[in-house]
Amino acid sequence: MGRRHKVAWAGLQTALQLIYPPRCLTCGGMVESDFGLCGPCWRDTPFIGGLVCDLCGTPLPGVDDGVPVHCDSCMTTERPWQQGRAALMYRDSGRRLVLSLKHGDRHDVVRPAAKWMAHSARPLLREDTLIAPIPLHWSRMARRRFNQSALLADALARETGRTSCPDLLIRANRTRSLEGLTRNERFATLMGSIRAHPKRTALMEGRSILLVDDVMTSGATLAAATEACYASRAREVCVIALTRVANES
């Protein structure tokens, strides 16, 4: 791009900002740059930091001294994946951001969410990490028109310099809604429901996989996806979610 074109582009960007000034992702108030949060919303957003469970990312009391620790839930429920993290707690602004992306077509949430997830995912990344989303059944995809986890996975791959594969896994059958189900019912419902795409199995053999989802509740969906990766001879599987539901039943 020549100097004249750069000047013209900068002028266009300035004009657009005057007409459409940057707005806070959650409250709509004025902010300094696109894809940001205002001060009050930033303070009210439940970012996860400090000492966390090494398997699910739940925040824990204490100081992070580099030694992996596990929450009560992960000590009583076997997790097939190697490590797990989440960027936000699923409450307050965290919950609103997920719902606005999932049901409100707020794709502007994806870019900042990927940055937050990239920060949380640093302990999970290897040189050969392949990033893949939790898949939707085709019927749900047709109704929703997009897979929010795939949008997050693609943006996370760009943010971390890794490769993503949006169709690495598929939903073999449409399961009923997990809302209101107990932990055991969730795991039973999802057993065998996720499989490797038959044309993508070679991508996983001997490789580290990072699975991406928007919300981690019981971990049943991520567990089913993890098992599918190991069935295709993945070397290890880690998981990252935008939000983590605490005290799930």
Side-chain angles (χ1 to χ4, degrees), residues 8 33 55 60 65 76 86 101 107 120 124-125 150 160 168 195-196 212 229 235-236 244:
S33 59
L55 285 171
L60 298 172
D65 59 3
T76 57
L101 168 61
H107 292 193
S120 298
L124 318 179
L125 295 172
T160 59
L168 190 71
R195 300 175 187 170
V212 176
C229 292
R235 185 180 77 250
E236 71 168 357
R244 174 74 168 109

Side-chain angles (χ1 to χ4, degrees), residues 51 61 97-98 103 161 192 209 215 219 225 233:
L51 183 65
L97 285 168
V98 167
H103 302 298
I209 309 298
V215 183
R233 299 183 179 179

Side-chain angles (χ1 to χ4, degrees), residues 135-147 170-177:
L136 284 179
H137 188 263
W138 68 265
S139 60
R140 285 201 171 97
M141 185 72 169
R143 188 178 74 248
R144 192 176 294 169
R145 307 186 311 281
F146 66 92
N147 178 358
I170 58 174
R171 289 267 186 170
N173 50 68
R174 177 170 178 167
T175 55
R176 59 174 172 156
S177 172

Side-chain angles (χ1 to χ4, degrees), residues 49-54 57-63 69-72:
L51 183 65
V52 299
C53 173
D54 194 49
T58 293
L60 298 172
V63 178
V69 293
H70 299 151
C71 66
D72 291 344

